[in-house]
PDB file of all heavy atoms in Angstrom:
ATOM      1  N   GLN A 264     169.493 132.282 144.420  1.00 69.00           N
ATOM      2  CA  GLN A 264     168.642 131.097 144.351  1.00 69.00           C
ATOM      3  C   GLN A 264     167.873 131.055 143.024  1.00 69.00           C
ATOM      4  O   GLN A 264     167.746 129.999 142.393  1.00 69.00           O
ATOM      5  CB  GLN A 264     167.662 131.085 145.529  1.00 69.00           C
ATOM      6  CG  GLN A 264     168.315 130.799 146.868  1.00 69.00           C
ATOM      7  CD  GLN A 264     167.319 130.923 148.012  1.00 69.00           C
ATOM      8  OE1 GLN A 264     166.489 131.836 148.036  1.00 69.00           O
ATOM      9  NE2 GLN A 264     167.407 130.023 148.967  1.00 69.00           N
ATOM     10  N   MET A 272     167.224 124.759 135.055  1.00 68.00           N
ATOM     11  CA  MET A 272     166.179 124.555 134.052  1.00 68.00           C
ATOM     12  C   MET A 272     166.735 124.646 132.641  1.00 68.00           C
ATOM     13  O   MET A 272     166.346 123.874 131.756  1.00 68.00           O
ATOM     14  CB  MET A 272     165.066 125.582 134.248  1.00 68.00           C
ATOM     15  CG  MET A 272     164.256 125.371 135.527  1.00 68.00           C
ATOM     16  SD  MET A 272     163.070 126.709 135.827  1.00 68.00           S
ATOM     17  CE  MET A 272     161.999 126.550 134.402  1.00 68.00           C
ATOM     18  N   ILE A 292     157.688 131.347 144.980  1.00 74.00           N
ATOM     19  CA  ILE A 292     158.286 131.436 143.648  1.00 74.00           C
ATOM     20  C   ILE A 292     158.877 130.082 143.228  1.00 74.00           C
ATOM     21  O   ILE A 292     158.722 129.638 142.083  1.00 74.00           O
ATOM     22  CB  ILE A 292     159.384 132.525 143.613  1.00 74.00           C
ATOM     23  CG1 ILE A 292     158.759 133.901 143.837  1.00 74.00           C
ATOM     24  CG2 ILE A 292     160.143 132.489 142.295  1.00 74.00           C
ATOM     25  CD1 ILE A 292     157.768 134.314 142.767  1.00 74.00           C
ATOM     26  N   LEU A 302     156.521 121.243 133.503  1.00 80.00           N
ATOM     27  CA  LEU A 302     155.863 121.487 132.222  1.00 80.00           C
ATOM     28  C   LEU A 302     156.886 121.540 131.093  1.00 80.00           C
ATOM     29  O   LEU A 302     156.681 120.965 130.013  1.00 80.00           O
ATOM     30  CB  LEU A 302     155.080 122.800 132.289  1.00 80.00           C
ATOM     31  CG  LEU A 302     154.351 123.220 131.010  1.00 80.00           C
ATOM     32  CD1 LEU A 302     153.272 122.216 130.657  1.00 80.00           C
ATOM     33  CD2 LEU A 302     153.732 124.611 131.185  1.00 80.00           C
ATOM     34  N   THR A 328     158.102 102.921  99.635  1.00 77.00           N
ATOM     35  CA  THR A 328     158.107 103.418  98.260  1.00 77.00           C
ATOM     36  C   THR A 328     159.300 102.914  97.454  1.00 77.00           C
ATOM     37  O   THR A 328     159.287 102.971  96.220  1.00 77.00           O
ATOM     38  CB  THR A 328     158.116 104.955  98.242  1.00 77.00           C
ATOM     39  OG1 THR A 328     159.254 105.430  98.973  1.00 77.00           O
ATOM     40  CG2 THR A 328     156.852 105.504  98.873  1.00 77.00           C
ATOM     41  N   LEU A 355     154.063  97.095  80.775  1.00 86.00           N
ATOM     42  CA  LEU A 355     153.201  98.231  81.089  1.00 86.00           C
ATOM     43  C   LEU A 355     152.146  97.860  82.125  1.00 86.00           C
ATOM     44  O   LEU A 355     151.832  98.648  83.026  1.00 86.00           O
ATOM     45  CB  LEU A 355     152.515  98.742  79.815  1.00 86.00           C
ATOM     46  CG  LEU A 355     153.390  99.560  78.854  1.00 86.00           C
ATOM     47  CD1 LEU A 355     152.636  99.841  77.569  1.00 86.00           C
ATOM     48  CD2 LEU A 355     153.804 100.884  79.520  1.00 86.00           C
ATOM     49  N   VAL A 404     132.982  92.404  98.464  1.00 91.00           N
ATOM     50  CA  VAL A 404     132.187  91.319  97.885  1.00 91.00           C
ATOM     51  C   VAL A 404     132.828  90.773  96.612  1.00 91.00           C
ATOM     52  O   VAL A 404     132.950  89.553  96.439  1.00 91.00           O
ATOM     53  CB  VAL A 404     130.743  91.798  97.603  1.00 91.00           C
ATOM     54  CG1 VAL A 404     130.010  90.798  96.727  1.00 91.00           C
ATOM     55  CG2 VAL A 404     129.991  91.990  98.907  1.00 91.00           C
ATOM     56  N   GLN A 421     117.283  96.858 113.045  1.00 89.00           N
ATOM     57  CA  GLN A 421     116.748  98.030 113.755  1.00 89.00           C
ATOM     58  C   GLN A 421     117.777  98.682 114.674  1.00 89.00           C
ATOM     59  O   GLN A 421     117.501  99.729 115.251  1.00 89.00           O
ATOM     60  CB  GLN A 421     115.525  97.613 114.591  1.00 89.00           C
ATOM     61  CG  GLN A 421     114.414  96.946 113.801  1.00 89.00           C
ATOM     62  CD  GLN A 421     113.912  97.807 112.655  1.00 89.00           C
ATOM     63  OE1 GLN A 421     113.723  99.014 112.811  1.00 89.00           O
ATOM     64  NE2 GLN A 421     113.697  97.196 111.489  1.00 89.00           N
ATOM     65  N   LEU A 461     127.195  97.856 127.719  1.00 92.00           N
ATOM     66  CA  LEU A 461     127.893  99.125 127.527  1.00 92.00           C
ATOM     67  C   LEU A 461     128.381  99.338 126.100  1.00 92.00           C
ATOM     68  O   LEU A 461     128.528 100.470 125.649  1.00 92.00           O
ATOM     69  CB  LEU A 461     129.094  99.212 128.486  1.00 92.00           C
ATOM     70  CG  LEU A 461     128.768  99.178 129.973  1.00 92.00           C
ATOM     71  CD1 LEU A 461     130.057  99.195 130.800  1.00 92.00           C
ATOM     72  CD2 LEU A 461     127.887 100.354 130.373  1.00 92.00           C
ATOM     73  N   THR A 481     151.507  93.036 117.859  1.00 81.00           N
ATOM     74  CA  THR A 481     152.177  93.954 116.923  1.00 81.00           C
ATOM     75  C   THR A 481     151.422  94.162 115.615  1.00 81.00           C
ATOM     76  O   THR A 481     151.838  94.985 114.806  1.00 81.00           O
ATOM     77  CB  THR A 481     153.592  93.438 116.592  1.00 81.00           C
ATOM     78  OG1 THR A 481     153.506  92.125 116.023  1.00 81.00           O
ATOM     79  CG2 THR A 481     154.450  93.375 117.840  1.00 81.00           C
ATOM     80  N   GLY A 514     136.139 103.575 121.497  1.00 93.00           N
ATOM     81  CA  GLY A 514     135.983 102.136 121.445  1.00 93.00           C
ATOM     82  C   GLY A 514     137.333 101.445 121.454  1.00 93.00           C
ATOM     83  O   GLY A 514     138.372 102.079 121.653  1.00 93.00           O
ATOM     84  N   THR A 527     139.595  86.064 114.761  1.00 92.00           N
ATOM     85  CA  THR A 527     138.366  86.804 115.060  1.00 92.00           C
ATOM     86  C   THR A 527     138.749  88.175 115.598  1.00 92.00           C
ATOM     87  O   THR A 527     139.426  88.284 116.624  1.00 92.00           O
ATOM     88  CB  THR A 527     137.499  86.076 116.102  1.00 92.00           C
ATOM     89  OG1 THR A 527     137.152  84.780 115.607  1.00 92.00           O
ATOM     90  CG2 THR A 527     136.229  86.859 116.377  1.00 92.00           C
TER      91      THR A 527
END
Side-chain angles (χ1 to χ4, degrees):
Q264 289 175 319
M272 291 173 63
I292 295 297
L302 179 64
T328 57
L355 284 173
V404 167
Q421 304 303 317
L461 298 177
T481 58
T527 301

